Amino acid sequence: MIKKLDSGRWQVDLWTNGRGSKRVRKSFASKAEAKRFEAFIESQRAQGQEWNPGTLDKRTVKDLIDLWFNAKGVHLKDGERRKRALEAIADSMGNPIGRKLKPSEFLAYRAEKLEAGASAKTMNNHLGYLNAVYNQLGRLSEIDFENPLKHVEMIRIDEYELSWLTIGQIRHLLDSIERASENPHVHLLVRICLATGARWGEAESLLLRHVRNGKVTYVKTKSSKSRSVPISDDIFSELTDHLKKYKRFSSSINALRRAIRRSGIELPKGQSSHVLRHTFASHFVMNGGDILTLQKILGHSTIMMTMRYAHLAPEHLFDAVKYCPLNAVG
């Protein structure tokens, strides 16, 4: 039975194998989550298995992944992709009993993947995915044992280089696109990213209804929060006319990569489009822009992400001269 509590949560109250068997009472934030849990208990009953999150828990890692997905993953933008990655991890480790998973099993999996060429960042992501499964199920009382990987440390990774373009490089890139690119969108997309700090995918997703009152509004962003950024009259007019003509932008990332190669501008690996976002942020700060305002423009969920640009602030650079120890030496 599912009922709504006075607190607003939804409670599942049932017997795992008919009256007189183990009784389960659990509450959930939504009715949909309660229904999924009820369906899981019914499926366990149909298989002749009684739900028991205690010490006799014989559910495999993949069973726990399924539970996590129904409770949390289904609501995530990348939930399906993350579930596939988790299942592949579980298979690589032999899909052990979830409560018996040993740190050494994950470490062996990680070492094998690193040797095969996987990046440290990817392996940190995989550890984070597994931690999220155990921690979420623990919060929901689906398991009553500790996360077996809680003491496994992430691989320490050097902070990646934030590359940005100079004014001369910006002019050179735009000239290169204008002269040689046959793509009708890439020149405008580059300027939108440089004008608003947008991610490339956000700029490509703009539709006419997102361009109003001198602003562009980015929706379905990485943080899941919409944000609006003012743009100049010239870009507003050009963008409006462009979207009236073409309706939408087509994928133009390859055109941008070709233009960067033609320009001869050297960038760190993987920053072909993100360099435009870094360039906006870097010049914003160097020209005296406020970090908190920049956070809102970029849509960062935490100020720590934005603080990566703080060292470019004019006052920061001045302080390096003002407070260096050589001043006391004379």
Side-chain angles (χ1 to χ4, degrees), residues 108-242:
Y109 159 79
R110 185 167 75 179
E112 181 182 346
K113 289 296 183 182
L114 288 170
E115 188 175 348
S119 70
K121 183 177 185 301
T122 296
M123 290 299 97
N124 283 347
N125 287 343
H126 286 188
L127 176 57
Y129 294 165
L130 285 168
N131 281 334
V133 169
Y134 282 104
N135 294 340
Q136 180 70 24
L137 295 182
R139 285 191 292 270
L140 294 175
S141 300
E142 295 286 358
I143 58 176
D144 67 351
F145 51 85
E146 285 190 333
N147 174 3
L149 301 180
K150 71 175 186 176
H151 294 304
V152 177
E153 295 182 350
M154 296 282 184
I155 301 171
R156 182 169 294 183
I157 302 174
D158 292 336
E159 186 174 318
Y160 70 87
E161 179 183 355
L162 291 179
S163 182
W164 48 273
L165 305 178
T166 64
I167 297 300
Q169 288 175 319
I170 293 172
R171 290 195 183 108
H172 181 52
L173 176 60
L174 291 172
D175 287 345
S176 176
I177 293 171
E178 201 163 23
R179 287 196 314 270
S181 181
E182 297 180 357
N183 183 290
H185 309 294
V186 64
H187 193 274
L188 179 55
L189 285 168
V190 167
R191 285 182 291 134
I192 291 169
C193 291
L194 289 171
T196 66
R199 299 176 180 87
W200 188 262
E202 292 173 340
E204 281 189 335
S205 298
L206 285 172
L207 300 173
L208 189 58
R209 67 174 181 270
H210 301 142
V211 186
R212 293 181 178 177
N213 302 321
K215 300 177 182 178
V216 292
T217 298
Y218 299 112
V219 299
K220 297 182 179 179
T221 63
K222 187 176 181 179
S223 67
S224 299
K225 295 181 180 179
S226 300
R227 68 182 191 280
S228 296
V229 184
I231 53 178
S232 68
D233 292 342
D234 289 345
I235 292 183
F236 179 84
S237 178
E238 183 179 351
L239 179 56
T240 300
D241 292 342
H242 191 90

Side-chain angles (χ1 to χ4, degrees), residues 284-295:
F284 182 93
V285 172
M286 287 189 292
N287 290 328
D290 176 74
I291 285 290
L292 291 176
T293 302
L294 180 61
Q295 180 190 2

